[in-house]
Amino acid sequence: MFRIAFHAPEIPPNTGSAIRLAANTGAELHLVEPLGFALDERHVRRAGLDYHELAELRVHRTIDDLWAAVAPARVYAFTTGADRDYSDVAYEPGDVLLFGSESTGLPTDVAHAPQVSARIRLPMVPGSRSLNLANAAAVAVYEAWRQHAFAGAATAARPPARRG
């Protein structure tokens, strides 16, 4: 339904957690090289548990390869420098939620690329630098999915109503 994209992720457990997030939400996960690890690293597999087979994962050599793969989708670049909150966006299926690396965030040229529909942020208290990459992606994808009534989610069995 939605697409999560990490530009040059560096920390294996974050990507492993994102693989698990993608599998559990039906999102695609796109990784733009360079990666700070090999996808078969123990830490990636451990964080992703057995969800690797359930997630749709694509690796792109360059940001231009990502743009070509997701066009004409809307791309929301998450950056602490944005002045629009993630919750102010009306997300549509196929939208791309783009995040930068753990240490530097999105490069300016990527955040301001013509393919980016808007730059948005997750609110934080003053003095905070950033959220964990996997956590930020989870907040964003669940907000986008919530706006669509969690379409495609498993429905929980409801207990019978209590009587009297």
Side-chain angles (χ1 to χ4, degrees):
M1 173 165 282
F2 298 100
R3 299 169 183 163
I4 303 162
F6 286 176
H7 182 269
E10 301 164 328
I11 301 174
N14 280 330
T15 298
S17 293
I19 290 169
R20 189 172 182 173
L21 173 65
N24 280 292
T25 61
E28 293 176 2
L29 178 60
H30 294 258
L31 304 176
V32 179
E33 294 180 340
L35 308 181
F37 49 85
L39 281 173
D40 59 354
E41 275 190 38
R42 163 178 77 85
H43 298 295
V44 175
R45 296 209 58 87
R46 181 176 177 201
L49 297 174
D50 57 348
Y51 290 90
H52 286 77
E53 296 78 27
L54 302 174
E56 187 167 341
L57 173 64
R58 297 181 185 173
V59 179
H60 305 281
R61 292 188 61 204
T62 68
I63 192 67
D64 288 331
D65 291 342
L66 172 70
W67 300 143
V70 301
R74 298 185 310 173
V75 177
Y76 293 100
F78 283 74
T79 175
T80 57
D83 56 7
R84 183 175 177 194
D85 288 346
Y86 79 104
S87 56
D88 294 336
V89 173
Y91 298 97
E92 295 296 331
D95 284 351
V96 178
L97 313 174
L98 175 63
F99 300 86
S101 70
E102 292 88 343
S103 65
T104 60
L106 282 172
T108 302
D109 63 322
V110 173
H112 291 270
Q115 295 84 350
V116 171
S117 305
R119 285 169 297 286
I120 56 179
R121 67 186 182 97
L122 296 172
M124 295 179 287
V125 298
S128 292
R129 279 192 347 231
S130 64
L131 288 172
N132 169 279
L133 180 59
N135 291 344
V139 168
V141 77
Y142 267 90
E143 171 59 18
W145 198 22
R146 181 198 64 79
Q147 291 181 12
H148 293 272
F150 300 104
T155 54
R158 293 201 168 121
R162 290 182 144 181
R163 298 182 193 252

